[in-house]
Amino acid sequence: MTTDPAFAELTTLLKRTHTLGTVAELLGWDEQVNLPPGGAEQRAAQHAAVAEVHHAAASAGRIGALLGALEAGAGGLTPDEQLVVTHARKDYERATKLPAEFVREKAAQSSRGYHAWVRAKAADDFASFVPVLEKNVELAKREAAYLGWSGREYDYMLDKHDPGLTAVAVDRLFGELKSELVPLVRAITASPTAGRAKAAETTLRGFPVEGQRAFLREVTEQIGFDYERGRIDVSLHPFCSGTGSDVRMTTRFKVDEPLDSLFASIHETGHGLYEQGLPAAQFGTALGQHAGMAVHESQSRLWENQVARSRGFWRNVEPRLRALFPTQTAGLTAEELYLAVNGVEPTLVRVEADEVTYNLHIILRFEMEKKLFNGELAVRDLPAAWRAASREIVGLAPATDRAGVLQDVHWSDGAFGYFPSYCLGNLLAAQLWYRALTLRPGLEEEFARGDFSWLLAWLRAEVHTQGRRFDALELARRVTGEELSPRAFLRYLRERYGALYLN
Ligand code: ZN
């Protein structure tokens, strides 16, 4: 470590800013897990007040002065310290270019937007959500303008979640993916096995919530989630927040869809493992931060799909599932259960989609967002545009907006440009998976014994402990030796689902 007092002081200020950010996150977690409906306005005010304090800390003039001094004498910094300074400069620029009044307005609007979305979705009333969404788009464009991205607003939204990403780059990756994915989905859904998978899945009914809770707790603990430093609760839309020694995951329970809560929980566990694996001593600096949402999603999707839908994984958990739910699972052979876990069926709802059709939902949202930001599409015209695009891309058109344009939480708090991260995360997850298998061909045998330690240790070393050193594109290159592309993902789908459906 350096003895430079300026660097030590900078680190202290960055950590304080980070701590205030975790307070804001905790308010957000509580809002979705515990808040009574009548508390919405009060929570919006709390969010705004904390956002203001956080913003003041992040944009403090002292940080600017320290950065200036450290940049002037950069020769004396270690490479890690240099990395901290470079990222701190980027964050500082972002914080200082946003007026405090704008930050306060956006925080309050995000919170109100969430509650307006909950009401609009429950009532299937898109019209009531139009002014909220218009305001969110306007705020997003203003934010881009403050930061110097006028005319490239959607690129700004993408870059915000995954540095360096542009709409042109995403377009190219998605184009390549779509051209092979659409015929693959068609072939799989036309297979007689698709009907058998569906039949197997529909026999999984009547799973009491308490049993599901116990099962997913065992499974997520076995994978490596540390419940001394995290917890899991229930919310409408599963998510993971918090970091380090206090990671908050959520799931939801449906008595007749036990696989839904299981896979949602494993997905969030993947996020949680990443957060628990970041270097705690470095929290607040780039060395202790995650590397963007595509990398985050690569971790959740890798555990949810490549791992938890593998045969090895099911050899391990099947006896326990049958022991906890003997009557509910009695009608299925092991092969039928495995088929139910890997069922493929086009659906209207993204979060219910299997991993084969999932990315079609992302491509649909990317098309909508692009048009929303380049002015081709007005907010009020979204429902009709969504239905048409859904019919074309997913193959189904929703009868209600609740199952269509209102289904996702993201736009309610202005998280535009986030959806592509899910798809890029899927692509990166498949690349990481094949790299891991090359290094450790017997991985699935280890899963069958309930041993996930090698994979977790490898991800810790290659991804988690790297903090924000490498963005998704660099990480793919460094860890897998290849550019981020749909090739590994398509290979994975053809291998796993081809073997099940296309024999
Ligand atoms: Zn996720």
Side-chain angles (χ1 to χ4, degrees):
M1 279 305 276
T2 184
T3 48
D4 191 329
F7 185 81
E9 189 184 347
L10 175 70
T11 305
T12 305
L13 294 177
L14 294 177
K15 286 184 186 225
R16 180 170 176 272
T17 305
H18 167 77
T19 300
L20 288 165
T22 63
V23 174
E25 266 197 84
L26 196 57
L27 281 177
W29 169 85
D30 178 74
E31 182 167 24
Q32 295 196 43
V33 172
N34 296 315
L35 193 73
E41 270 303 310
Q42 195 167 318
R43 182 53 45 94
Q46 291 166 330
H47 273 299
V50 173
E52 204 174 350
V53 177
H54 179 257
H55 180 247
S59 58
R62 184 66 188 153
I63 293 182
L66 290 166
L67 284 172
L70 288 164
E71 285 158 350
L77 296 175
T78 67
D80 273 1
E81 289 166 350
Q82 186 59 57
L83 185 92
V84 168
V85 168
T86 303
H87 282 285
R89 168 60 75 186
K90 197 175 170 187
D91 295 343
Y92 182 71
E93 291 297 309
R94 178 166 275 175
T96 49
K97 284 179 178 167
L98 293 179
E101 177 51 37
F102 174 83
V103 172
R104 193 166 44 235
E105 185 184 357
K106 193 174 174 223
Q109 170 68 13
S110 293
S111 180
R112 276 191 212 106
Y114 170 73
H115 296 285
W117 167 73
V118 171
R119 286 191 298 272
K121 187 177 177 182
D124 191 32
D125 178 12
F126 183 77
S128 73
F129 192 54
V130 167
V132 174
L133 201 44
E134 282 174 345
K135 178 84 181 169
N136 286 355
V137 173
E138 184 227 313
L139 286 173
K141 287 185 175 175
R142 265 167 63 199
E143 184 178 325
Y146 284 130
L147 291 161
W149 292 72
S150 285
R152 295 177 297 149
E153 288 89 354
Y154 191 53
D155 279 348
Y156 165 72
M157 299 312 290
L158 291 167
D159 180 87
K160 195 176 160 181
H161 300 109
D162 281 296
L165 215 57
T166 62
V168 170
V170 175
D171 238 343
R172 189 176 45 76
L173 286 170
F174 284 10
E176 200 183 328
L177 176 64
K178 191 178 160 191
S179 67
E180 288 197 42
L181 189 54
V182 170
L184 183 65
V185 168
R186 233 173 262 143
I188 288 174
T189 50
S191 154
T193 312
R196 288 200 283 122
K198 170 95 180 150
E201 198 277 323
T202 50
T203 65
L204 294 170
R205 296 288 177 265
F207 285 65
V209 168
E210 277 321 302
Q212 289 195 46
R213 201 190 295 273
F215 181 59
L216 70 84
R217 165 92 187 205
E218 280 176 32
V219 169
T220 54
E221 207 159 24
Q222 196 171 41
I223 286 171
F225 188 79
D226 179 1
Y227 279 94
E228 285 294 310
R229 298 191 294 140
R231 51 181 291 140
I232 189 162
D233 292 272
V234 172
S235 69
L236 190 63
H237 188 97
F239 66 92
C240 178
S241 75
T243 193
S245 56
D246 186 6
V247 174
R248 307 292 178 101
M249 310 191 292
T250 67
T251 189
R252 58 180 170 199
F253 293 104
K254 297 175 188 170
V255 171
D256 293 329
E257 289 175 49
L259 296 178
D260 178 82
S261 67
L262 177 66
F263 283 99
S265 306
I266 295 173
H267 176 98
E268 301 309 335
T269 299
H271 286 303
L273 289 172
Y274 185 15
E275 289 292 339
Q276 288 185 335
L278 292 169
Q282 311 289 351
F283 281 155
T285 79
L287 298 169
Q289 290 166 341
H290 68 74
M293 292 324 297
V295 177
H296 230 305
E297 290 301 331
S298 79
Q299 299 307 290
S300 55
R301 300 294 278 180
L302 178 72
W303 288 100
E304 176 191 1
N305 294 326
Q306 276 81 15
V307 175
R309 296 184 201 277
S310 69
R311 285 195 185 274
F313 182 89
W314 278 87
R315 283 218 302 280
N316 171 51
V317 298
E318 187 185 341
R320 189 64 189 136
L321 184 75
R322 288 188 187 275
L324 278 167
F325 306 101
T327 52
Q328 296 91 332
T329 54
L332 290 183
T333 64
E335 190 58 25
E336 286 166 339
L337 181 60
Y338 187 64
L339 206 50
V341 164
N342 288 288
V344 178
E345 185 187 18
T347 161
L348 288 165
V349 180
R350 176 184 64 86
V351 295
E352 290 171 5
D354 55 80
E355 63 171 327
V356 181
T357 57
Y358 183 89
N359 293 299
L360 298 175
H361 293 269
I362 301 305
I363 294 170
L364 161 67
R365 283 151 181 77
F366 173 66
E367 293 300 328
M368 295 294 100
E369 288 187 337
K370 243 186 353 185
K371 289 179 181 166
L372 213 47
F373 277 84
N374 70 16
E376 266 182 70
L377 185 61
V379 166
R380 64 176 178 282
D381 298 327
L382 260 172
W386 183 287
R387 276 192 284 278
S390 183
R391 187 177 296 112
E392 189 239 314
I393 299 168
V394 182
L396 300 167
T400 64
D401 291 331
R402 183 192 288 151
V405 67
L406 281 174
Q407 66 181 273
D408 293 306
V409 67
H410 304 62
W411 294 346
S412 76
D413 68 354
F416 303 104
Y418 188 111
F419 288 117
S421 303
Y422 291 118
C423 182
L424 299 174
N426 285 329
L427 307 189
L428 182 57
Q431 281 182 229
L432 290 171
W433 175 243
Y434 281 116
R435 181 66 192 149
L437 281 179
T438 303
L439 296 169
R440 191 87 166 173
L443 211 45
E444 274 203 49
E445 287 306 314
E446 294 172 22
F447 298 167
R449 295 195 300 271
D451 181 359
F452 302 92
S453 59
W454 184 89
L455 182 62
L456 181 56
W458 182 71
L459 291 170
R460 288 264 192 260
E462 298 289 346
V463 182
H464 305 179
T465 56
Q466 298 301 327
R468 200 169 153 189
R469 277 194 179 85
F470 315 110
D471 61 34
L473 303 176
E474 270 180 281
L475 198 72
R477 239 171 262 139
R478 275 184 60 89
V479 181
T480 75
E482 287 177 26
E483 293 293 321
L484 186 68
S485 89
R487 281 192 302 275
F489 178 72
L490 288 164
R491 172 188 164 193
Y492 160 75
L493 290 186
R494 279 192 296 266
E495 286 181 2
R496 181 164 291 175
Y497 291 87
L500 279 171
Y501 288 85
L502 305 178
N503 274 332

